[in-house]
Amino acid sequence: MAAQKLTATKIDKYRPTKNDESLADGNGLYLRFRRGQTGTLSRVWMYAYKIGSKSIYITLGDHEASLPEFDIALYKLSPAARLTLETARRIAAEISDWRKRGLQPKEFMQSEILRQAAEVDARAQVAAAQSAQAATDSLTVQDMFEVWTTDGVRRKDGNAMLKRMFAADVLPAIGAVAIKDVTEHHLRAVLRAMVERGVNRSAVMQRNSLTQMFAWARKRQPWRKLLVDGDPMELIEIEKIVSPDYDLDNMRDRILSADEIRELNAIITAMHTEYEAAPDKRVARQPLEATTERAIWIMLSTMCRVGETAMARWEHVDLAAGTWFIPKENVKDNIADLTVYLSAFALDQFKQLHAHTGHSAWCFPARNNAGSIEGKSISKQVGDRQSMFKKNRDGTPRAPLKNRRSDDTLVLAGGKNGSWTPHDLRRTGATMMQALGISLEQIDRCQNHVLPGSKVRRHYMLHDYANEKRAAWSALGESLAAVLT
């Protein structure tokens, strides 16, 4: 079709008689009319030019006279574009200019589209990286704690105590603080608040846990990147935070004297006598649970920890051979298995215990018999019966806790030596062994302590000292029996 200058009116009024017709505007620009099988009519701007004898066609976009002028930025060109007559002419003029500069329009357009797409992709990648960095920068102490307790630490109680301590003191105070913003001042404030409450020991324990968490984090991404100023816990000097009179070594030295051991036995016996003589047992004061009584004497005569005792299973107790096997998974820090050679005194306690719990797999079963009791259950029973030592933060006597015993029935020596705990029984037994002339090394072996000396030495010297340990426990049992006679 011969070239002619088009007008918007001419375009709108043109009615093609064929299924495929064109109106040329000149300068390589024309408007193609095409009728589809359904009768719909399309109007598409085209640009045509030749390379040698070969005709090249470029689709510029649909004609849409009713829309505003189209932005001719090259990356926005597409067959879906809607172009007015004026915009189509501007694009055609630009393409003609490319040809005058020796550019091949179609190839140039394709390369420009790819370049623009690459730029868009690059901008998207930068935006994604910035978004990821922003997400990393917003990670908080709470986020670190959750990852650490999932992947970085595994304590015997399933991290239950760790979670309780952080939930009580750390997370409410600084849980929402971004890691990149955490300073020694945040952490010191948490520990000082605990000391002001009078819980120095808990503050030290919290310091140790925080130190462990940050030491774990500084070796791993993304935390290492966020700790740009170093590990803030390295700047915490706990000795300047705890109360001046607090002993950081916290070496409790309470032992039960022979008189206190006799008094304890008399108290337990009197509890039972009083209960049995009560006319109405429904309102009478309950004595200690029989299993707790046996646990006390077993811990004293074997020097085993309360947790090891609480988790004992009958499959590990051989009443005929007089042995109690403690697997290392029940031992503090999983040091090593321990076979306890039961003295006549300790064996008698296990036999009495078997009469109460021999039906269970556990020596000290929980109420639902689905597992063992927890060591702290025994500790609570002992502590609740020494209520005179339980104080509030202001030093006033603590009110009885709901569903918990609160009296002084297990206070010994009128309280002048302070309270006693199940762990003090372990120390008492060791001290009694020492008084009997048993060597410190044998006492350590009976307590399953890590012995001093090199690992090589411990690796090659593997005598089990069974006879020596049996004799040591036997001597302790005889001494206890003599005290209680």
Side-chain angles (χ1 to χ4, degrees):
M1 176 175 288
Q4 53 183 302
K5 286 297 181 182
L6 299 176
T7 65
T9 300
K10 182 182 292 187
I11 293 172
D12 287 339
K13 289 183 176 181
Y14 185 75
R15 296 294 181 268
T17 58
K18 300 179 182 179
N19 290 337
D20 193 346
E21 293 186 21
S22 299
L23 290 178
D25 187 61
N27 197 27
L29 177 67
Y30 66 95
L31 185 62
R32 183 178 185 182
F33 294 81
R34 175 175 263 178
R35 195 179 304 279
Q37 293 180 352
T38 60
T40 57
L41 183 67
S42 64
R43 299 181 295 183
V44 179
W45 290 108
M46 306 289 293
Y47 183 87
Y49 65 98
K50 285 194 174 188
I51 299 179
S53 60
K54 183 178 180 181
S55 296
I56 307 297
Y57 301 94
I58 300 175
T59 300
L60 303 182
D62 291 347
H63 171 70
E64 184 64 64
S66 61
L67 293 180
E69 290 211 349
F70 184 74
D71 183 353
I72 65 170
L74 198 56
Y75 66 88
K76 289 188 177 180
L77 286 175
S78 75
R82 298 293 189 268
L83 308 179
T84 64
L85 174 60
E86 290 77 10
T87 302
R89 283 174 175 168
R90 288 167 56 194
I91 295 174
E94 188 168 345
I95 294 174
S96 296
D97 183 63
W98 296 344
R99 293 178 62 201
K100 291 176 183 178
R101 289 186 283 136
L103 298 174
Q104 294 295 337
K106 197 163 190 175
E107 295 177 0
F108 180 66
M109 289 177 68
Q110 290 174 342
S111 66
E112 282 296 292
I113 290 172
L114 291 175
R115 182 183 66 79
Q116 293 289 348
E119 289 182 1
V120 170
D121 184 59
R123 286 195 294 271
Q125 290 183 23
V126 170
Q130 291 174 339
S131 176
Q133 185 60 50
T136 297
D137 289 344
S138 66
L139 289 172
T140 64
V141 174
Q142 174 85 45
D143 296 321
M144 178 190 285
F145 176 71
E146 289 176 359
V147 176
W148 177 56
T149 51
T150 299
D151 301 326
V153 60
R154 182 175 298 171
R155 297 185 180 173
K156 275 193 172 183
D157 63 352
N159 298 333
M161 179 178 288
L162 188 65
K163 292 177 180 178
R164 284 196 301 271
M165 292 186 68
F166 269 73
D169 296 293
V170 178
L171 301 181
I174 63 172
V177 177
I179 293 297
K180 66 182 182 63
D181 297 328
V182 172
T183 68
E184 59 179 296
H185 307 296
H186 291 103
L187 300 165
R188 193 177 290 112
V190 168
L191 299 175
R192 279 187 173 148
M194 298 178 70
V195 170
E196 288 172 3
R197 294 207 321 265
V199 289
N200 286 273
R201 181 171 180 271
S202 293
V204 174
M205 293 171 61
Q206 192 67 271
R207 185 282 307 262
N208 295 341
S209 295
L210 283 165
T211 299
Q212 185 181 355
M213 181 175 77
F214 275 90
W216 172 86
R218 72 181 183 222
K219 298 176 183 177
R220 293 165 174 83
Q221 296 293 8
W223 317 107
R224 182 172 63 186
K225 188 181 296 182
L226 296 175
L227 295 169
V228 291
D229 294 326
D231 182 350
M233 283 305 299
E234 292 182 345
L235 304 176
I236 299 298
E237 299 169 304
I238 193 64
E239 64 274 10
K240 297 179 181 178
I241 298 176
V242 296
S243 301
D245 58 348
Y246 179 72
D247 179 11
L248 270 174
D249 293 330
N250 196 31
M251 295 297 290
R252 184 177 170 87
D253 57 6
R254 176 77 162 95
I255 61 170
L256 276 63
S257 66
D259 286 341
E260 288 179 317
I261 294 173
R262 280 190 286 269
E263 182 183 5
L264 176 60
N265 184 53
I267 289 171
I268 292 174
T269 302
M271 284 182 182
H272 284 285
T273 302
E274 179 185 335
Y275 180 73
E276 292 300 326
D280 187 351
K281 291 183 173 55
R282 292 175 298 178
V283 296
R285 185 165 58 180
Q286 294 279 344
L288 268 178
E289 292 183 16
T291 52
T292 302
E293 293 177 26
R294 305 283 75 77
I296 288 172
W297 300 120
I298 287 171
M299 287 185 286
L300 180 58
S301 59
T302 64
M303 303 183 301
C304 290
R305 299 178 179 88
V306 64
E308 297 165 350
T309 304
M311 290 187 286
R313 298 177 67 100
W314 283 117
E315 65 180 292
H316 294 148
V317 179
D318 189 334
L319 296 177
T323 59
W324 170 25
F325 174 73
I326 304 176
K328 69 177 183 179
E329 58 265 25
N330 290 358
V331 175
K332 181 181 179 182
D333 298 327
N334 297 340
I335 293 173
D337 299 332
L338 175 66
T339 297
V340 179
Y341 298 97
L342 300 173
S343 63
F345 182 94
L347 180 59
D348 180 58
Q349 300 303 321
F350 267 108
K351 287 179 178 179
Q352 292 184 56
L353 180 63
H354 191 267
H356 290 283
T357 66
H359 62 280
S360 171
W362 305 90
C363 298
F364 300 91
R367 291 188 183 278
N368 59 8
N369 204 33
S372 68
I373 61 172
E374 294 185 14
K376 63 184 179 182
S377 173
I378 298 174
S379 298
K380 286 178 180 178
Q381 290 183 57
V382 172
D384 287 348
R385 289 164 174 78
Q386 301 176 80
S387 62
M388 64 182 293
F389 300 106
K390 304 296 183 181
K391 305 293 183 183
N392 294 317
R393 296 174 187 174
D394 59 1
T396 58
R398 191 181 72 183
L401 299 176
K402 185 178 180 181
N403 299 324
R404 292 269 293 274
R405 185 77 170 262
S406 182
D407 57 43
D408 292 319
T409 53
L410 289 185
V411 172
L412 302 176
K416 66 179 181 180
N417 298 322
S419 64
W420 63 276
T421 70
H423 196 74
D424 295 334
L425 301 174
R426 175 176 168 86
R427 186 181 303 107
T428 299
T431 303
M432 292 179 69
M433 273 194 181
Q434 186 182 14
L436 292 169
I438 297 170
S439 71
L440 299 182
E441 182 178 351
Q442 289 310 315
I443 297 173
D444 279 336
R445 292 182 185 279
C446 289
Q447 290 189 294
N448 207 16
H449 283 160
V450 176
L451 297 176
S454 69
K455 287 185 178 181
V456 173
R457 192 166 138 194
R458 294 196 298 270
H459 180 70
Y460 282 96
M461 299 182 181
L462 301 178
H463 177 58
D464 63 6
Y465 289 88
N467 292 333
E468 293 85 348
K469 289 189 288 186
R470 181 182 284 108
W473 272 308
S474 179
L476 173 60
E478 290 173 2
S479 181
L480 285 170
V483 168
L484 296 177
T485 299

